[in-house]
Amino acid sequence: MSRRHDQHRIIDDRAPARALIYLRVSTKEQAEAGGEAEGYSIPAQREACRRKAEALGAVVIEEFADRGESAKTSARPELQRMLAYVAENPVAYLIVHKVDRLARNRSDDVQIHMALKNAGVTLVSCSENIDETPSGMLLHGIMSSIAEFYSRNLANEVIKGSVQKAKAGGTIGKAPTGYLNVRKIENGREVALRG
């Protein structure tokens, strides 16, 4: 049997590479969309990740899915469980649908990537051509920065829209207790009234 030692672990070179899958959606609504048990995004991510594992000749040994967890922070239960898993178990690949499933800020992305690298795990994206080459690392950094920009810009746009709605006399969110949420159509547009 051909064996090698890799960071104090014995790895059988003839066995298929071991892979993990990490899946994430940001909101509970996404996780329950369409009345499906997992919504639409989680199964689509899973299918893409399993195809990627097959293309790599790897066997998926574990799946980690954060359902309704924002990537603004790395304090997500399944992400933390996955990081603990790779620290203790030999794994060749962590497969994600996109880099932004792991992190939406550059600092967390770097910390997660270093934890994977220290554990001897290669991060693989189904959607982006990232690897350990200089061009792959550059693309990873760019995609991570774009994810952070998207998250911060979206937050600013939501605030801007909420301020404009308040200026127009609207209320932000649902009506307070004791009031009704009433909707009507004016000039072909839905207008939310609070009464």
Side-chain angles (χ1 to χ4, degrees):
M1 177 176 354
S2 173
R3 291 181 167 215
R4 63 186 168 86
H5 290 272
D6 187 11
Q7 294 186 349
H8 312 293
R9 303 173 190 172
I10 297 175
I11 298 174
D12 184 346
D13 287 332
R14 295 178 304 166
R18 296 161 50 99
L20 305 178
I21 292 175
Y22 178 75
L23 315 166
R24 184 187 64 78
V25 292
S26 299
T27 66
K28 295 292 183 194
E29 291 78 17
Q30 287 175 299
E32 299 167 356
E36 300 293 322
E38 294 183 304
Y40 298 122
S41 183
I42 292 282
Q45 290 178 51
R46 179 183 295 119
E47 183 179 330
C49 290
R50 289 197 177 274
R51 280 195 311 266
K52 189 64 157 182
E54 189 176 317
L56 292 167
V59 59
V60 175
I61 57 168
E62 186 78 40
E63 176 183 297
F64 302 86
D66 278 311
R67 295 165 179 89
E69 296 286 339
S70 169
K72 286 182 184 177
T73 173
S74 63
R76 287 170 265 145
E78 288 294 285
L79 174 65
Q80 292 305 313
R81 190 170 77 85
M82 182 273 297
L83 291 173
Y85 187 94
V86 299
E88 298 296 324
N89 298 280
V91 174
Y93 303 109
L94 171 65
I95 304 172
V96 296
H97 184 252
K98 291 176 70 177
V99 170
D100 72 0
R101 298 301 83 200
L102 278 178
R104 283 266 170 106
N105 73 65
R106 191 69 181 117
S107 175
D108 284 346
D109 179 76
V110 169
Q111 289 178 354
I112 293 166
H113 189 252
M114 289 309 299
L116 294 173
K117 190 173 181 177
N118 290 341
V121 178
T122 300
L123 176 62
V124 176
S125 168
C126 297
S127 305
E128 299 122 353
N129 190 22
I130 60 169
D131 55 30
E132 296 297 317
T133 65
S135 60
M137 293 302 293
L138 174 63
L139 180 60
H140 182 167
I142 290 168
M143 297 312 296
S144 176
S145 295
I146 289 171
E148 181 172 15
F149 166 79
Y150 174 81
S151 181
R152 289 183 178 198
N153 188 59
L154 181 61
N156 286 340
E157 293 301 313
V158 168
I159 291 167
K160 184 169 63 177
S162 297
V163 167
Q164 186 60 36
K165 184 177 181 182
K167 284 181 181 178
T171 58
I172 309 307
K174 294 186 177 187
T177 303
Y179 291 83
L180 299 175
N181 290 305
V182 180
R183 299 191 184 284
K184 73 177 195 174
I185 305 295
E186 285 183 9
N187 299 323
R189 291 185 160 173
E190 182 180 44
V191 179
L193 303 171
R194 308 292 184 234

